[in-house]
Amino acid sequence: MHEVSIAQGLIEIAIDNCKKQGYKNIDSIKVKIGKASGIVSDSLLFAFEALKTGTIAEKANLNIEQIPVSGFCDICNKNFTVDEAYVIACPICGGSSFKVETGRELNIDEIEVSR
Ligand SMILES: [Zn+2]
């Protein structure tokens, strides 16, 4: 499962950061995940809960912010956002010449730590 290795990576980065700053506990990790990233939030949460046990992230909450898929259309020159995880055509003019600008991200936004 894809989400397990992502959760593992998140925990490792958070632990690394926490230790470098001289802190002992991770309180929360906030991530931004694009809808088009293919990552299932529930699976990621599940994997995170399982993997954090026994680490300094044991008490940490994983907060996931979903980023919608948006893009810019070259035909009508407008920005658009869609509810789906993919874009087939510009929702404004129906054109097929567009750039997807958000929705693929997987970023750590914030790591809260304490002593
Ligand atoms: Zn358009």
Side-chain angles (χ1 to χ4, degrees):
M1 201 165 76
H2 192 44
E3 283 78 5
V4 173
S5 53
I6 293 167
Q8 186 72 54
L10 288 176
I11 290 171
E12 277 168 19
I13 291 166
I15 289 175
D16 216 46
N17 269 285
C18 183
K19 283 184 176 165
K20 268 186 202 153
Q21 291 174 51
Y23 291 93
K24 291 195 178 71
N25 289 294
I26 298 166
D27 297 329
S28 73
I29 301 171
K30 194 177 158 198
V31 291
K32 286 186 174 175
I33 293 174
K35 263 192 170 178
S37 65
I39 299 162
V40 181
S41 297
D42 285 350
S43 304
L44 184 61
L45 273 174
F46 185 79
F48 180 82
E49 293 300 316
L51 292 166
K52 71 178 186 179
T53 310
T55 73
I56 60 170
E58 195 160 29
K59 294 189 196 88
N61 289 312
L62 181 64
N63 301 310
I64 297 174
E65 186 189 337
Q66 275 220 331
I67 307 296
V69 178
S70 73
F72 182 80
C73 176
D74 293 328
I75 297 165
C76 64
N77 281 314
K78 285 186 177 124
N79 285 297
F80 60 82
T81 303
V82 295
D83 292 330
E84 294 80 23
Y86 50 84
V87 189
I88 300 167
C90 166
I92 301 161
C93 71
S96 57
S97 179
F98 54 82
K99 283 187 283 290
V100 173
E101 289 178 334
T102 69
R104 293 200 184 98
E105 38 290 268
L106 168 60
N107 301 324
I108 297 182
D109 202 34
E110 215 172 75
I111 301 170
E112 279 181 30
V113 292
S114 62
R115 289 187 197 278

